Amino acid sequence: MDFIPYGKQFIDEADFKAVAEALASPLITTGPIAKEFEKRLCEYTGAKYSIVVSNGTAALHLASIALLSADDKVLTTPNSFLATSNAILYANAKPIFVDIEENGNINLDLCEEAIKKDPTIKAIYAVAFSGNPVDQKKLKHIRDTYNVKILEDCAHAIGSEYDGIKAGSCVNSDCTIFSFHPVKHMTTGEGGAITTNNKDIYEKIMLLRNHGMERKHDIAPWYYEMTVLGFNYRITDIQCALGISQLDKLNENIVRRRILAQRYDNVFKRHEFIKPLYTYDGNSSYHLYVVKIDFNKLKVSKIGLFNKLKEYNFGVMVHYIPINKQPYYRELGYGDEDTPNMNKYYEETISLPMYYSLSDAEQDYVIKSLFEILK
């Protein structure tokens, strides 16, 4: 059996054809196909505006500049990729790490307590970890009650829903970001997007995406003005052609991931020492499938299991090392926050293979191998 990674892209003939056609077009940088991709993302998520960019980190960066001012305090999670809180630092704002719930998402009740204690807190960056959407009722309550800005980091969660509220619709947030990295549900190679229902945020991010340049005055055909310090975070039409083709298959991809999640659940929910991070409920789009393992009772170390699984020719991963414990963040004074759930989560969890083309036979092999090692 070939090596089974924890995640990978799925590319078919329709994707090859879309990219080839884009390459044959007169304009291959950001152009009409990018516009079409943005339109399609709006239709899919229900948001009014969409901006596609070069990667998910660029999406976080631009959204942070649009939402935040220098020294703003922002509640965020230690359970994410580095880019989530790094983007707060890019905007010269201050991340404040809040503990997670049992399902891996930021604890919004603790966020509310923090805002009550410190009304100068300006924003919450809520990550839909592993594809599982955050509680939209709580998010709405906090936004309406305390007038804080909300960014939903849905890099893991395109296609997920909470009580009919689709990820990226921005019903209860100022903006949402997506990532189109190859291990996600859909890919543009590298790429990302921001969705919003706020015209001012949309126009600001559009300006920032392209060097802060705009053509407001009809002085000459070549004339433009740089009005703010922007960036080159454009994405190519070649990538967007792939993105549109991938978007066409997204729902099918998510259906398959949910089937795989239920197959994992049916095995692990009956096990004494291995449990799914959360039980299937039809909301998550399952970028990741995470299990909690009681290593103490099984008398095996996490690193020992991790390395042994590689010998069985499949990959697992740890998502994530607590951001606040990273050396750079420790140098900034972080690392001693009261985050017992995050600490326990990091000790106990690993991510198992989860992707569209993972076959039943491959998944059964992963499960069988895991139990074989743990015996």
Side-chain angles (χ1 to χ4, degrees):
M1 185 176 287
D2 292 337
F3 180 75
I4 303 169
Y6 87 86
K8 68 176 181 179
Q9 71 276 11
F10 177 76
I11 304 293
D12 64 11
E13 287 302 319
D15 297 323
F16 283 109
K17 182 180 177 183
V19 170
E21 288 175 356
L23 278 167
S25 64
L27 186 66
I28 60 173
T29 187
T30 310
I33 301 177
K35 278 288 182 191
E36 177 62 20
F37 189 26
E38 289 171 338
K39 176 174 173 287
R40 293 283 302 277
L41 285 170
C42 286
E43 291 170 354
Y44 186 83
T45 62
K48 288 183 180 178
Y49 306 104
S50 170
I51 309 103
V52 289
V53 293
S54 53
N55 54 64
T57 303
L60 281 163
H61 187 187
L62 295 182
S64 296
I65 295 174
L67 292 179
L68 305 177
S69 299
D71 299 321
D72 278 357
K73 297 174 185 174
V74 183
L75 303 178
T76 190
T77 175
N79 190 30
S80 185
F81 185 58
L82 303 166
T84 303
S85 58
N86 285 355
I88 299 168
L89 296 178
Y90 296 160
N92 296 312
K94 182 181 179 182
I96 298 173
F97 292 100
V98 177
D99 203 8
I100 60 172
E101 298 185 59
E102 290 293 326
N103 65 8
N105 283 344
I106 191 169
N107 189 318
L108 292 175
D109 292 331
L110 292 179
C111 288
E112 183 172 15
E113 288 179 20
I115 295 167
K116 285 179 180 177
K117 290 177 184 176
D118 184 356
T120 65
I121 290 168
K122 299 294 185 183
I124 299 174
Y125 278 29
V127 174
F129 174 73
S130 78
N132 193 32
V134 297
D135 188 319
Q136 291 292 314
K137 292 174 184 175
K138 290 182 180 180
L139 207 62
K140 175 177 170 53
H141 164 72
I142 291 173
R143 190 183 185 207
D144 291 349
T145 305
Y146 303 101
N147 196 31
V148 293
K149 292 174 181 173
I150 305 288
L151 179 142
E152 292 184 89
D153 182 338
C154 290
H156 292 185
I158 193 165
S160 67
E161 291 189 22
Y162 187 100
D163 285 348
I165 298 172
K166 206 159 193 176
S169 62
C170 303
V171 170
N172 297 310
S173 60
D174 294 276
C175 59
T176 299
I177 72 94
F178 294 114
S179 167
F180 305 132
H181 184 275
V183 295
K184 302 301 197 305
H185 307 77
M186 54 175 285
T187 187
T188 55
E190 284 280 4
I194 307 116
T195 58
T196 184
N197 295 321
N198 185 306
K199 187 179 180 183
D200 290 338
I201 291 174
Y202 167 73
E203 289 178 346
K204 185 170 185 179
I205 292 175
M206 286 291 286
L207 184 61
L208 290 166
R209 181 179 70 172
N210 187 29
H211 301 284
M213 290 165 38
E214 53 187 338
R215 300 179 185 273
K216 292 193 299 186
H217 306 292
D218 191 18
I219 294 173
W222 62 84
Y223 188 76
Y224 59 85
E225 292 180 342
M226 175 183 155
T227 55
V228 297
L229 182 61
F231 308 87
N232 180 2
Y233 282 160
R234 298 188 304 267
I235 188 171
T236 68
D237 267 16
I238 303 166
Q239 292 168 282
C240 290
L242 176 58
I244 292 169
S245 181
Q246 291 266 302
L247 189 58
D248 287 339
K249 298 182 278 285
L250 179 58
N251 287 340
E252 181 184 346
N253 186 313
I254 292 168
V255 166
R256 177 59 185 163
R257 288 170 181 265
R258 287 174 172 162
I259 290 170
L260 291 167
Q262 289 175 84
R263 295 183 88 247
Y264 274 137
D265 267 26
N266 288 336
V267 174
F268 296 129
K269 69 184 180 184
R270 299 192 303 268
H271 199 277
E272 188 176 357
F273 305 130
I274 307 172
K275 297 291 182 185
L277 180 64
Y278 50 86
T279 304
Y280 179 87
D281 62 7
N283 292 330
S284 178
S285 55
Y286 283 99
H287 162 52
L288 303 172
Y289 187 88
V290 181
V291 289
K292 295 184 289 185
I293 300 176
D294 192 333
F295 289 101
N296 292 324
K297 290 183 179 176
L298 288 168
K299 296 180 179 167
V300 60
S301 70
K302 185 170 180 174
I303 187 68
L305 176 63
F306 193 95
N307 289 332
K308 192 70 177 175
L309 289 171
K310 287 186 176 180
E311 294 178 20
Y312 280 71
N313 209 35
F314 70 89
V316 293
M317 188 49 68
V318 175
H319 298 94
Y320 289 99
I321 303 169
I323 300 174
N324 56 319
K325 308 288 188 185
Q326 291 289 347
Y328 181 82
Y329 279 87
R330 285 194 176 276
E331 287 182 11
L332 294 177
Y334 296 97
D336 296 324
E337 292 81 6
D338 185 22
T339 55
N341 283 347
M342 182 68 216
N343 298 341
K344 187 169 185 286
Y345 168 90
Y346 179 54
E347 290 172 2
E348 292 183 344
T349 57
I350 59 171
S351 301
L352 299 179
M354 168 59 76
Y355 50 92
Y356 172 75
S357 57
L358 183 70
S359 69
D360 288 0
E362 288 171 326
Q363 187 184 34
D364 290 342
Y365 173 76
V366 168
I367 294 167
K368 178 184 174 185
S369 301
L370 180 61
F371 285 141
E372 191 173 302
I373 293 165
L374 293 177
K375 281 179 181 176

